Structure formats: structure tokens, C-alpha cells
Amino acid sequence: MTQESIDRRTFLGWIGRFSICALGVSLLPSCRGNALNGQNDTGSQNFYLANKTKIMKEIDDMCGYTRKVSSTMYGKEMADTLVLGTTQKFEDLLPDLPYIGGYTNNLTTNLYMGAAGLALYKTMLEQGKTLEETGEVLYRATEMQYGANPLGGMMTSMSVSDTTKTIISKEAERSQERMYTGDWVFNFIDGNGADFDYGIDYTECGICKFYQSQGAAELIPYMCMLDFPISKAANSGLVRTTTLGRGGPRCDFRYKIGRPVQMDWVPGFLKKG
């Protein structure tokens, strides 16, 4: 299989799903600067409902990994309860998601997968589980999903290609227009090849904004840490020292192929492991 033979939406969905990972930010050129000019956050609010069938298929795929992890942790009956509750609560959240450009903005996928994480969290709380337990289920499910994917090596080469860097740089410039209030805003940082290949500084985060609007800011750090199992799978060497989700001025993603990841925050369940 060659890089060119892979359907780009399939690949992009894989690298962007269930994460705010910078690798998934914008490998696909955006049309937000022209075709969508003039639309606001509520003008295309029905985007999510219009694409509900496709979106729910992605949520079902994600829940497959959630089910496997929670079955090991809590047993099959509880796993079934968590998956059912997550699906139902996600459907309730879907109409409330802010419009940020639809599929012309690859971060739309990150936003609704973040909503799925919130739906799981709400369900976990109802079942007497804790915030950290939710974080562990999310982490283990992401680790399982990305670790098992055969495209990891190809993801490594694409993540640092000149084409990728150029597109991310252009998307960073577009983000400064702040066309949608619920969107991400970020800067591209060119690397020197020694300390890091390239970086991205996020100064606004769509998932942070949505979680805060939903009264669930405490979940943000656990969503932020999902970037690391994805980086491990891609061998992209993510190092991060600060995040918006933990009160920092930005999220400073720095990538260098082949080096170990370095987490800015390590939750209790990983320290125990």
C-alpha cells in the first residue's frame, strides 16, 4: 500500500479522531477562507444533525474500544451500560456543538469526538465512577485504537513532510481570522531539525471552550493527554510543557521524529502503571 493509495478522509479521520493532536490539525486544505465566508457559529448549526449518520458511525467505532477497556476494568454489564449511556448523551450534545466550518475544517472531527469524551464522562459519573477513572478509560481506549492501526509508519512520514508543514502554516494564518468563536486559534512554529521538526502553539482551543460552556472544565486535562498515545503510535516525539487546559497561556506542541514523548502532566493511573 502506498501513501497515495489511501483515501485521504480515512487517513485524516484516523489521525484527528478523539484528540486535539496537532498532527490532525490540517493535512487537508481548508475552504474556510472563501466558500464559507460570512457564516457564523449558529448559521450552520444543523451541520451535525445533517451528518448525524456518518458521525454516529465514528462514535460507534470509538465506543468499540471503550467497551473493550471498560469490560476489562468493570465487567461486560457495566461496559454495555457505559457505551449505551455515552451514545445517548452524545446524541443529546450534538445539536449544542458550535459550527466551526464543517468538514472543510478538520478540527470539526476533533470537536465532536471531544463531545463523545464528555458524554462518556457524564455517563461514568452517573455510574459512580470518578474523573480519573474516566481519564483512564479514555487513555487506554485511545492507546488501543491507535496502537493497533497499521498506518502508524505512514503517519510518521506524513506528519513531518514539507507538504504537511506548509498546509499547517497556512491553516495557522487562517485561524487568526477567528471566523468562528468556537474554533481553535494557533501558530505554526518552524523547527530547526535539531531540537524539534516543527511545533504548533494553540492560543485558543475548541474543546476547552465547549467543555467550559458545559461546566466540565475538569475533564480538559484528560482529553489533552490523549495526544501522547497518538504521538507514540506515530513515533512523532511529542514534547509539551504547558496547556490551556491546565491554565497555561498556550499549548506548546513540539514534534521530533523518533524521540520519546514527554508529557506535561502525568495522571495518577499512569504513575501507578
Side-chain angles (χ1 to χ4, degrees), residues 22-136:
L23 287 175
V25 69
S26 54
L27 297 186
L28 187 65
S30 171
C31 300
R32 285 181 291 165
N34 44 63
L36 293 173
N37 225 355
Q39 291 184 346
N40 57 31
D41 288 18
T42 58
S44 295
Q45 185 80 11
N46 65 354
F47 163 82
Y48 301 100
L49 298 181
N51 291 277
K52 184 176 178 179
T53 299
K54 174 180 173 55
I55 291 172
M56 293 308 301
K57 173 62 168 59
E58 295 183 59
I59 301 306
D60 288 344
D61 290 343
M62 179 273 288
C63 282
Y65 294 96
T66 301
R67 187 189 302 275
K68 290 178 182 178
V69 170
S70 54
S71 290
T72 299
M73 293 175 64
Y74 307 118
K76 183 179 181 303
E77 183 175 351
M78 177 59 71
D80 290 343
T81 297
L82 293 176
V83 167
L84 178 61
T86 297
T87 302
Q88 292 175 339
K89 292 184 187 304
F90 177 78
E91 290 190 65
D92 292 339
L93 286 170
L94 204 54
D96 296 329
L97 282 172
Y99 181 76
I100 59 172
Y103 286 132
T104 63
N105 180 355
N106 195 54
L107 286 167
T108 290
T109 301
N110 296 20
L111 184 58
Y112 62 68
M113 295 307 289
L118 176 57
L120 172 65
Y121 176 46
K122 290 184 175 184
T123 305
M124 292 279 286
L125 290 180
E126 285 185 351
Q127 297 303 316
K129 308 304 180 184
T130 67
L131 171 64
E132 179 148 316
E133 285 179 287
T134 303
E136 182 168 8

Side-chain angles (χ1 to χ4, degrees), residues 14-15 21 23 146-147 149 151-160 196-198 227-239 254-262:
W14 184 69
I15 62 175
C21 182
L23 287 175
Y146 284 83
N149 199 297
L151 300 181
M154 194 169 297
M155 181 177 170
T156 302
S157 62
M158 287 187 71
S159 68
V160 295
F196 61 97
D197 297 316
Y198 71 92
D227 297 313
F228 291 96
I230 296 173
S231 181
K232 286 181 182 179
N235 194 31
S236 61
L238 172 60
V239 170
R254 298 294 183 271
Y255 290 100
K256 183 171 178 58
I257 294 298
R259 73 177 172 189
V261 302
Q262 179 181 310

Side-chain angles (χ1 to χ4, degrees), residues 165 188-200 254-255:
K165 293 177 184 178
F188 175 78
I189 311 298
D190 202 4
N192 56 20
D195 300 320
F196 61 97
D197 297 316
Y198 71 92
I200 302 176
R254 298 294 183 271
Y255 290 100

